[in-house]
């Protein structure tokens, strides 16, 4: 399988090169030249498979030119063996035909573990094969950083530099990153917001001269295709658990960078019956404003109780725009260049095509807290603020009550005690046993100004072969 850029000017690459490249040389994101498609009969035959085996069925077409089947199976077995629940992604029922899929049973208590535990193993495999070293540079709004560090910290051929917005992630999120010790692990707190961190990562991938030609950058953010690929699987898992593919499903996805919900869109294109995808956002609602009114316009980023979604530039939205424009890279490039100067819209028929499957909602902090409290009072089930936004959006946007609605539960509530407290509940969410001493562990991180040259200089000085 070959991969092409959403901007249309970079060369097509194989899986190994896409894994290590991240951002395409033309500034675009890589997507498969064509998607595998599964028949209903084939999907039906996967009922009852263990999660790792289902992951193999869904993902192997994307990597088969690069990784032998037995090696990939072993990676998947190792990846999902570290999750704390035998089902890996268990479903919890909230109401009639309403469910939460718990995607926080991995080692860092967030959905990012599904992709980043695998990404670390993929990197180790390919870099060992090539005898190559890379520098991982990533930006996090809270959860990607800890999942990337946990997934990649044992990799022999990488140095890891994770940027997070200073004082704009929860304390648990910060400590999950900054208490992991290792000569190859570097946490950078940038005096800015997540969009600033993400912009620095993109600029650095576009010009890697600060590394002196001695190594290259590799991406852990969802600009890396492997991240998206791994997230497709749990849509199939949820459907098969609730009667799919013989009945269609609806999903509500808390999203900031559009990666997780784009994986659902791909699952639909690959043959899984999905009749609705709900984009659930907080006050940073650029995706909701586009999907509800065909207007893509950046506003000032706001700090909320759901910090992992405090994002205004949704990188993976470019992948959807590429599809909506008939895979015309030049049109996407022009649109996104115009978007840096002011509001943009797409042709009405393209927007209406997106609306056939996508709905959206923006949920403020008060409604988030109300939802946390209501669900706990109804079910004694505690939601984190991001999942609460997903549940509220699902209820506000639901098209058909006969279709199962599944909200992706993106993080453990113990990561966001402030939101639980703001909701008026007296319950204190507890960290699981393997993190019980998190607040006693020593932290290590560096605070830098919101300046790309300063960040690049730090990386150039501190990767181990510098």
């Amino acid at each position: 399988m070959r991969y092409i850029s959403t901007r249309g000017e970079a060369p097509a690459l194989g899986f190994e090169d896409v894994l290590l490249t991240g951002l395409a040389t033309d500034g675009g994101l890589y997507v498969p030249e064509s998607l595998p498609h599964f028949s209903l009969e084939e999907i039906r035959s996967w009922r009852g498979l263990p999660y790792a085996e289902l992951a193999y069925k869904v993902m192997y077409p994307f990597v088969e030119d690069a990784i032998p089947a037995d090696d990939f199976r072993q990676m998947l077995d190792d990846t999902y063996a570290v999750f704390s629940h035998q089902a890996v992604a268990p479903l919890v029922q909230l109401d009639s035909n309403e469910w939460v899929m718990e995607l926080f049973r991995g080692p860092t208590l967030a959905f990012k573990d599904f992709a980043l535990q695998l990404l670390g193993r993929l990197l180790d495999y390919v870099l060992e094969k090539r005898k190559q070293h890379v520098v991982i540079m990533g930006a996090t709004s809270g959860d990607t950083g800890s999942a990337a560090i946990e997934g990649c910290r044992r990799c022999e051929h990488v140095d890891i530099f994770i940027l997070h917005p200073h004082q704009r992630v929860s304390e648990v999120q910060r400590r999950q990153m900054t208490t992991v010790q290792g000569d190859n692990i570097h946490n950078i707190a940038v005096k800015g917001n997540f969009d600033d961190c993400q912009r620095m990562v993109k600029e650095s991938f576009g010009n890697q001269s600060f590394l002196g030609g001695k190594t290259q950058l590799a991406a852990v953010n969802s600009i890396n295709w492997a991240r998206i690929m791994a997230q497709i699987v749990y849509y199939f898992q949820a459907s098969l658990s609730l009667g799919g593919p013989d009945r269609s499903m609806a999903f509500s996805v808390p999203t900031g960078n559009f990666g997780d919900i784009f994986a659902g869109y791909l699952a639909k294109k690959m043959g899984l019956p999905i009749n609705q995808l709900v984009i659930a956002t907080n006050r940073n609602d650029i995706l909701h404003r586009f999907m509800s009114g065909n207007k893509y316009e950046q506003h000032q980023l706001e700090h909320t109780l759901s910090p992992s979604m405090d994002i205004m530039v949704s990188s993976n939205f470019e992948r959807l725009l590429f599809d909506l424009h008939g895979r015309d890279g030049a049109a996407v490039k022009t649109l996104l260049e115009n978007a840096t100067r002011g509001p943009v819209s797409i042709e009405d028929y393209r927007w209406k095509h997106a609306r056939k499957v996508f709905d959206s909602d923006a949920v403020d902090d008060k409604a988030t807290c109300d939802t946390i409290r209501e669900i706990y009072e109804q079910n004694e089930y505690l939601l984190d603020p991001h999942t609460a936004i997903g549940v509220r959006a699902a209820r506000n946007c639901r098209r058909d009550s006969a279709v199962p609605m599944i909200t992706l539960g993106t993080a453990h509530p113990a990561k966001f005690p402030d939101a639980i407290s703001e909701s008026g509940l007296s319950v204190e969410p507890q960290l699981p046993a393997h993190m019980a001493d998190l607040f006693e562990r020593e932290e290590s991180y560096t605070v830098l100004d919101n300046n790309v040259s300063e960040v690049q200089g730090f990386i150039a000085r501190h990767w181990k072969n510098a």
Side-chain angles (χ1 to χ4, degrees):
M1 181 177 288
R2 305 289 287 173
Y3 294 83
I4 58 176
S5 169
T6 53
R7 305 281 175 101
E9 296 174 0
L13 299 178
F15 178 78
E16 281 191 16
D17 289 319
V18 164
L19 177 73
L20 298 178
T21 300
L23 203 64
T25 53
D26 60 4
L29 306 182
Y30 279 106
V31 294
E33 211 163 33
S34 61
L35 285 173
H37 189 274
F38 307 116
S39 68
L40 295 182
E41 182 180 8
E42 189 172 7
I43 297 170
R44 195 179 297 117
S45 74
W46 298 342
R47 285 178 181 164
L49 289 180
Y51 191 91
E53 182 61 19
L54 176 64
Y56 172 82
K57 298 286 189 184
V58 173
M59 283 193 279
Y60 193 61
F62 295 113
V63 305
E64 61 184 342
D65 295 337
I67 305 173
D70 288 346
D71 291 349
F72 192 56
R73 272 198 165 99
Q74 187 61 56
M75 278 186 225
L76 294 169
D77 287 343
D78 294 345
T79 291
Y80 299 112
V82 302
F83 281 60
S84 66
H85 197 289
Q86 194 69 17
V88 182
L91 287 161
V92 173
Q93 189 166 9
L94 295 184
D95 205 339
S96 176
N97 241 6
E98 185 182 14
W99 309 78
V100 168
M101 190 174 206
E102 294 187 339
L103 301 178
F104 49 78
R105 299 299 191 128
T108 71
L109 313 183
F111 80 97
K112 310 292 177 80
D113 287 323
F114 278 82
L116 286 163
Q117 283 293 314
L118 176 60
L119 182 62
R121 289 169 171 84
L122 287 167
L123 286 171
D124 234 10
Y125 181 91
V126 170
L127 292 171
E128 175 61 30
K129 176 180 170 182
R130 294 185 170 201
K131 302 302 179 186
Q132 183 179 347
H133 179 278
V134 297
V135 169
I136 288 175
M137 183 181 183
T140 185
S141 55
D143 290 328
T144 290
S146 57
I149 289 169
E150 182 62 32
C152 301
R153 65 190 175 96
R154 296 178 187 86
C155 297
E156 295 181 11
H157 303 283
V158 305
D159 285 281
I160 308 168
F161 293 83
I162 299 295
L163 283 59
H164 72 267
H166 186 42
Q167 298 178 336
R168 293 195 178 189
V169 299
S170 79
E171 187 174 6
V172 171
Q173 288 177 311
R174 187 191 74 241
R175 286 178 173 273
Q176 281 186 295
M177 294 184 283
T178 60
T179 59
V180 180
Q181 303 301 317
D183 292 340
N184 66 332
I185 299 168
H186 304 274
N187 284 285
I188 301 172
V190 175
K191 295 178 183 176
N193 58 41
F194 170 76
D195 286 341
D196 296 322
C197 297
Q198 184 166 249
R199 173 181 48 77
M200 290 184 191
V201 170
K202 288 184 176 181
E203 284 186 26
S204 299
F205 271 86
N207 182 358
Q208 301 185 27
S209 59
F210 67 97
L211 295 172
K214 300 175 184 177
T215 185
Q216 71 173 73
L217 294 180
V220 291
N221 281 69
S222 53
I223 60 174
N224 191 315
W225 164 254
R227 284 275 308 272
I228 305 296
M229 175 184 79
Q231 292 168 334
I232 296 169
V233 179
Y234 42 71
Y235 288 90
F236 282 85
Q237 171 77 354
S239 174
L240 289 165
S241 298
L242 296 175
D246 297 320
R247 63 195 303 210
S248 191
M249 302 289 153
F251 292 89
S252 179
V253 186
T255 190
N257 227 356
F258 204 74
D260 210 11
I261 197 163
F262 184 71
Y265 171 77
L266 293 179
K268 178 179 173 63
K269 292 193 71 175
M270 291 164 66
L272 188 68
I274 295 175
N275 88 322
Q276 185 185 19
L277 290 166
V278 178
I279 300 167
T281 72
N282 60 19
R283 291 200 310 272
N284 298 296
D285 61 349
I286 186 170
L287 293 171
H288 169 58
R289 285 183 280 112
F290 172 84
M291 202 55 66
S292 60
N294 192 13
K295 188 177 183 181
Y296 189 82
E297 180 183 20
Q298 295 179 29
H299 289 175
Q300 184 70 32
L301 194 74
E302 295 188 49
H303 186 45
T304 73
L305 291 172
S306 45
S308 298
M309 295 157 64
D310 288 348
I311 297 170
M312 192 57 71
V313 180
S314 300
S315 291
N316 286 290
F317 191 57
E318 179 169 338
R319 287 179 160 124
L320 177 65
L321 290 172
F322 185 58
D323 252 25
L324 294 177
H325 285 82
R327 312 201 113 199
D328 182 345
V332 171
K333 182 179 180 180
T334 299
L335 181 73
L336 292 174
E337 285 174 350
N338 290 339
T340 64
R341 296 187 284 270
V344 295
S345 300
I346 64 176
E347 291 91 342
D348 194 56
Y349 75 94
R350 300 188 195 278
W351 177 72
K352 286 179 177 175
H353 181 72
R355 287 302 313 270
K356 288 179 180 178
V357 65
F358 288 104
D359 287 295
S360 66
D361 195 19
V363 180
D364 63 18
D365 281 351
K366 180 182 183 303
T368 301
C369 291
D370 289 346
T371 305
I372 292 172
R373 185 178 63 256
E374 288 166 11
I375 295 299
Y376 189 78
E377 289 173 349
Q378 291 165 3
N379 301 302
E380 291 191 356
Y381 185 74
L382 199 56
L383 301 173
D384 91 286
H386 307 80
T387 308
I389 286 171
V391 169
R392 176 58 67 98
R395 292 181 171 185
N396 288 346
C397 297
R398 193 168 190 175
R399 296 179 182 179
D400 187 347
S401 61
V403 174
M405 172 61 79
I406 304 151
T407 294
L408 300 192
T410 53
H412 194 290
K415 299 185 83 164
F416 304 98
D418 290 347
I420 307 303
S421 176
E422 287 275 341
S423 71
L425 295 176
S426 57
V427 61
E428 270 191 47
Q430 297 299 309
L431 288 166
H434 75 277
M435 282 189 192
D437 65 342
L438 181 65
F439 288 87
E440 301 164 18
R441 301 175 191 173
E442 183 180 352
E443 288 192 87
S444 175
Y445 63 98
T446 302
V447 181
L448 296 179
D449 287 333
N450 185 5
N451 181 291
V452 68
S453 296
E454 186 172 340
V455 170
Q456 289 177 345
F458 180 89
I459 294 172
R461 292 190 303 273
H462 287 90
W463 71 278
K464 59 188 168 193
N465 293 325

